[in-house]
Amino acid sequence: MKKAASPSRARPAAAPEPATARTVTRGRPKVRPSTLVPAAADGTEDTETRIYQAVVSGVMSQRLRPGTKLPEAALCELFGVGRSTVQKVLQRLAHDHVVELRPNRGAMVAMPTREEVGMLFEARRALEAAILPLVAQAATRADYASLRRQLRDEHRAMHTLPQTEWARLASAFHVRLGELSRNPILARYLAELISRCSLVVAIFQPPGNATCEHDEHARVVDHLEQGRVDEAIAEMDQHLRQLESHIQLVEAPTGLSLADMLGLG
């Protein structure tokens, strides 16, 4: 006689990938833009996530400037945790390109060079140019209607929310185009590039510059819906070059303590 199959044990939820969070919609993987701060598996904020979130928030709000040192001992004292916990968080932040870990110098907020930023945007332009023809082939009328609803939300947010908030919606437009390519591999790579570009822009773009221009997004959709793929690619290329041109790789002096820069002051 065969033994009755024992009920499978529930596995702990896997930690989400840093660049994307995946869900399944009608059997097809869907890629969402990363907020860089995944929630804890049980719905609560664990200690590591709390430290990670504090650092990312400090960077995105420009309190933690590029090159700022993040001493392990100071982080242990501020958050009341042991060195091993801080080291895990710093490794995770380094994986997501938020901080750099340098031998004998410890951790510091990432400080990309102009060359690194140029290569990052070069890769993004190439990837988005490859994705747009796929979108034109696969997108339905319902997909374009959904894109236009997203653009309306984006436009409203530009006039009601702080720049750091509505910039996330602008990035979500690009991620949505990746989804509409119906190629989850390309979509995943694009979402990672967008996450890294968003971080660079948040750190280095001076206040008052639009992270993504709403009208340029609208023109890309117009071109795609009307079958003008070459025009859509050219519009997107110009859009991303303009975004890159706003980046100023300079360090602003700050008199804030590390606690204040982490939002703990």
Side-chain angles (χ1 to χ4, degrees):
M1 174 182 285
K2 293 183 178 180
K3 285 180 79 175
S6 58
S8 58
R9 295 180 180 177
R11 296 180 180 178
E17 300 173 60
T20 60
R22 289 170 163 272
T23 59
V24 177
T25 304
R26 296 181 181 177
R28 185 174 68 250
K30 182 177 180 180
V31 182
R32 292 179 178 174
S34 170
T35 58
L36 289 174
V37 187
D42 60 359
T44 63
E45 185 181 66
D46 61 17
T47 303
E48 290 181 19
T49 300
R50 183 166 61 91
I51 302 171
Y52 180 99
Q53 185 173 22
V55 174
V56 171
S57 177
V59 170
M60 297 293 280
S61 64
Q62 298 189 352
R63 294 192 307 269
L64 276 172
R65 301 301 301 170
T68 301
K69 293 184 178 180
L70 299 172
E72 289 183 10
L75 293 173
C76 290
E77 183 177 352
L78 285 170
F79 291 98
V81 297
R83 191 174 292 270
S84 63
T85 298
V86 167
Q87 289 173 343
K88 287 180 183 178
V89 175
L90 291 176
Q91 289 287 347
R92 183 173 159 196
L93 288 162
H95 180 271
D96 291 347
H97 307 280
V98 180
V99 305
E100 297 175 5
L101 299 179
R102 300 185 177 182
N104 303 319
R105 296 181 61 185
M108 63 180 62
V109 177
M111 189 165 49
T113 64
R114 172 58 65 184
E115 183 182 15
E116 289 169 339
V117 171
M119 289 190 292
L120 183 62
F121 274 89
E122 181 180 50
R124 182 170 168 184
R125 289 195 303 273
L127 196 55
E128 296 216 36
I131 279 174
L132 291 180
L134 300 179
V135 175
Q137 292 174 12
T140 65
R141 293 177 65 180
D143 290 330
Y144 284 116
S146 174
L147 274 175
R148 294 194 183 282
R149 285 194 297 272
Q150 188 168 342
L151 288 176
R152 287 195 292 272
D153 291 341
E154 177 187 297
H155 187 261
R156 282 195 295 268
M158 287 179 66
H159 300 285
T160 58
L161 297 176
Q163 178 171 316
T164 53
E165 294 298 321
W166 61 254
R168 296 180 184 177
L169 279 177
S171 294
F173 168 79
H174 292 268
V175 173
R176 178 60 178 152
L177 289 177
E179 294 173 4
L180 292 177
S181 73
R182 305 301 198 267
N183 185 320
I185 298 174
L186 286 176
R188 177 181 177 182
Y189 287 137
L190 178 62
E192 180 175 351
L193 283 174
I194 290 170
S195 179
R196 292 185 63 184
C197 286
S198 297
L199 184 63
V200 170
V201 170
I203 296 172
F204 293 109
Q205 183 166 266
N209 285 305
T211 302
C212 266
E213 293 291 348
H214 171 80
D215 290 344
E216 294 169 1
H217 286 179
R219 286 195 293 271
V220 169
V221 175
D222 288 341
H223 289 316
L224 288 174
E225 191 168 21
Q226 295 170 27
R228 300 192 298 266
V229 178
D230 289 343
E231 287 87 342
I233 292 173
E235 183 72 43
M236 182 65 79
D237 185 85
Q238 178 61 30
H239 170 53
L240 294 174
R241 289 181 187 277
Q242 185 73 12
L243 178 60
E244 182 183 359
S245 72
H246 290 162
I247 295 172
Q248 297 181 7
L249 296 182
V250 295
E251 292 182 64
T254 175
L256 297 176
S257 67
L258 181 58
D260 288 332
M261 289 187 279
L262 290 169
L264 303 175

